[in-house]
Amino acid sequence: MSDTHAQTVPFVRDTMLSEAPPPAGQAGAVRWLRENLFAGWLNTVLTVLGLVAVFFLLRGLLPWFLHGVWNAQTLGECRQIIAERWGPDATGACWAVIRDRWTQFLFGFYPSELYWRPVLALVLLFVALAPVLFPAVPRRLTLFSLLYPFVGFWLLWGGSIWQPVMVLLGFVLGYGAWRLLRDRAPLLAPFAGVVVALLWWLVLCGPLRDLFASILPIGLESVRSDRFGGFVLSLTIGVAAITLSLPMGIALALARRSDMFLIKTLSVCFIEFIRGVPLITLLFTASLLLNYFLPPGTNFDIILRVIIMVTLFAAAYIAEVVRGGLAALPRGQYEAADALGLNYMQAQRLIVLPQALKISIPGIVSTFIGLFKDTTLVIFVGLLDPLKGITDAVRASTDWKGIYWEPYIFVGTIFFLFCFGMSRYSMHLERRLKREHR
């Protein structure tokens, strides 16, 4: 061994090797295929089976899509065009029904000369959501976000402008009462705010609305709720229920973890009752039974009744999702808040809820997506949802009697775009909050 080492000539490279391309199997598409589709015999078998399934699926669907007709007046004309172009046995989609009735799918039976109102309400909705969803948007727009529910209601339903103004004044007076008593009687202040607002709405709101409407009649043409339909109806119910159910769900989650027996018991009873009842039952309650609990002669709008029930239903589920986030926080976070001398509200607002809501984002967004899709259930209370209500109305005409898949595909695609958008935003929000805690 010593002789061998003594005769070894040390080698030190004094020039750099020239760059060479990687082997063909370790770069580009070939590498991606090997790592993702053919990494082992099981992966290879599953890939082959998947490709065979996709092949048979496309073999049946592609001709139907490619033979589609976009310009026809009736289903019979559609079928005639397909037979002339592709043969008597050919099949194809009749997208002409979407071209002919797309306004009905979007606006239902809303008056056509007033389409600008739901369109403007949708545009203003995005403006109102911008400061809430994106921190780069100026915070001053948050004031418009608070006013938007009243603006959107007035645009969609129309009527005197004094109706939403008087309702808004009830919130303002309730907030003023809370601010007035907040420092003097912290426990009494919330109840005082609620009582002042209720007194305003029940006693003074109606007479003052009529008085101002007679003095200064400003308003838009009224649109009845039975004229709503399609995606205008789904978006109205979905956005309102999502907006209202989140704060209500957070309050229920905090109440369920409260140390006060009565608050905790009421919260548990409400959540368990709502979760144990199908949504359709609540919708029937909104349609048939809710009026029995209101004063005689009260005409409570059916869409508002549905919004209330859908909001209660979603709030119960969100409460459990948020409660899971609260339970996931380590005990040290609560003790840290106590050590800083924060009271209950400050601890929840500054320390506990920001972390719990970040944990709960996937569950909350899943609840919102399910809620938005469940708006199609309003067909059972006589409202024309875009999936079945409007589709049946379109099929009831002699021109499009017999059309089947095309309306469902169109409506499903729009639902997918909305739900996919919510899902992607939740992922963006998770990444942003994770980055901010580095």
Side-chain angles (χ1 to χ4, degrees):
M1 293 295 291
S2 61
D3 293 341
T4 303
H5 281 291
Q7 296 174 3
T8 300
V9 178
F11 172 78
V12 177
R13 182 178 299 277
D14 57 356
T15 57
M16 294 292 293
L17 291 175
S18 58
E19 293 185 358
Q26 297 297 324
V30 176
R31 180 183 179 184
W32 186 90
L33 290 172
R34 288 181 57 187
E35 292 181 350
N36 295 279
L37 299 181
F38 301 102
W41 67 269
L42 179 60
N43 199 343
T44 303
V45 170
L46 292 176
T47 299
V48 172
L49 291 177
L51 291 176
V52 171
V54 170
F55 169 74
F56 282 105
L57 188 65
L58 291 180
R59 192 179 68 169
L61 290 180
L62 269 184
W64 188 77
F65 277 99
L66 295 177
H67 297 169
V69 175
W70 285 90
N71 193 8
Q73 300 300 320
T74 65
L75 181 59
E77 187 180 347
C78 253
R79 289 172 176 169
Q80 183 181 358
I81 294 173
I82 293 172
E84 291 174 354
R85 288 180 182 174
W86 309 100
D89 297 330
T91 59
C94 187
W95 303 114
V97 65
I98 305 300
R99 182 175 179 174
D100 187 48
R101 298 297 183 93
W102 67 273
T103 54
Q104 210 166 355
F105 283 102
L106 296 184
F107 301 102
F109 292 96
Y110 209 88
S112 57
E113 68 276 12
L114 302 179
Y115 281 168
W116 65 271
R117 281 164 48 178
V119 171
L120 179 60
L122 181 63
V123 173
L124 293 180
L125 171 66
F126 288 117
V127 176
L129 289 177
V132 180
L133 300 181
F134 304 103
V137 177
R139 297 291 94 183
R140 286 174 295 180
L141 280 177
T142 307
L143 178 61
F144 178 74
S145 303
L146 297 175
L147 295 177
Y148 176 77
F150 306 96
V151 177
F153 173 85
W154 186 54
L155 284 174
L156 290 175
W157 273 273
S160 171
I161 195 175
W162 297 109
Q163 174 70 24
V165 169
M166 291 299 159
V167 175
L168 175 62
L169 276 178
F171 286 102
V172 173
L173 292 175
Y175 177 74
W178 174 77
R179 285 291 302 267
L180 189 64
L181 297 176
R182 183 182 58 176
D183 297 329
R184 301 173 186 174
L187 294 178
L188 186 63
F191 297 100
V194 172
V195 170
V196 169
L198 287 177
L199 287 176
W200 170 263
W201 290 326
L202 295 176
V203 178
L204 298 176
C205 182
L208 288 178
R209 177 199 59 196
D210 297 337
L211 175 63
F212 281 98
S214 61
I215 297 174
L216 193 60
I218 302 175
L220 296 172
E221 181 181 343
S222 297
V223 178
R224 299 194 316 269
S225 292
D226 58 357
R227 307 297 299 273
F228 282 60
F231 281 97
V232 167
L233 178 66
S234 289
L235 284 174
T236 301
I237 296 175
V239 171
I242 287 173
T243 306
L244 296 174
S245 63
L246 180 60
M248 188 173 178
I250 294 173
L252 285 171
L254 294 176
R256 185 160 189 170
R257 290 175 60 85
S258 173
D259 295 330
M260 292 186 280
F261 176 77
L262 182 61
I263 298 295
K264 182 176 182 178
T265 303
L266 291 176
S267 173
V268 170
C269 292
F270 175 83
I271 292 172
E272 297 302 331
F273 173 75
I274 295 293
R275 290 175 68 199
V277 177
L279 177 58
I280 294 178
T281 306
L282 296 178
L283 293 178
F284 278 125
T285 303
S287 174
L288 302 174
L289 299 179
L290 199 58
N291 271 344
Y292 289 104
F293 300 99
L294 298 174
T298 303
N299 185 17
F300 201 31
D301 189 90
I302 179 64
I303 294 180
L304 295 182
R305 281 183 272 165
V306 168
I307 288 175
I308 291 173
M309 288 302 174
V310 174
T311 300
L312 296 179
F313 186 81
Y317 282 88
I318 290 176
E320 288 301 282
V321 173
V322 175
R323 189 171 69 90
L326 292 171
L329 286 184
R331 184 67 186 169
Q333 296 297 314
Y334 297 90
E335 295 174 350
D338 294 336
L340 291 173
L342 302 179
N343 59 33
Y344 177 79
M345 295 301 295
Q346 290 173 331
Q348 299 298 326
R349 183 169 59 88
L350 299 175
I351 294 181
V352 176
L353 280 180
Q355 300 181 71
L357 292 179
K358 187 178 76 171
I359 297 172
S360 308
I361 286 175
I364 292 175
V365 175
S366 296
T367 306
F368 286 165
I369 290 175
L371 166 64
F372 183 58
K373 291 187 294 185
D374 284 345
T375 56
T376 55
L377 295 176
V378 298
I379 182 63
F380 292 106
V381 293
L383 297 175
L384 296 178
D385 74 299
L387 187 64
K388 183 166 175 54
I390 297 298
T391 300
D392 287 350
V394 171
R395 276 204 293 257
S397 68
T398 55
D399 291 341
W400 301 110
K401 192 174 183 60
I403 200 79
Y404 193 77
W405 289 106
E406 292 84 350
Y408 290 138
I409 293 175
F410 174 70
V411 174
T413 302
I414 295 183
F415 266 108
F416 171 79
L417 292 177
F418 277 107
C419 295
F420 185 71
M422 284 192 278
S423 174
R424 299 304 296 179
Y425 176 76
S426 75
M427 296 174 66
H428 161 73
L429 188 60
E430 288 181 55
R431 287 195 298 270
R432 195 184 79 196
L433 294 176
K434 185 178 180 181
R435 186 170 62 247
E436 288 177 352
H437 280 77
R438 285 179 179 173

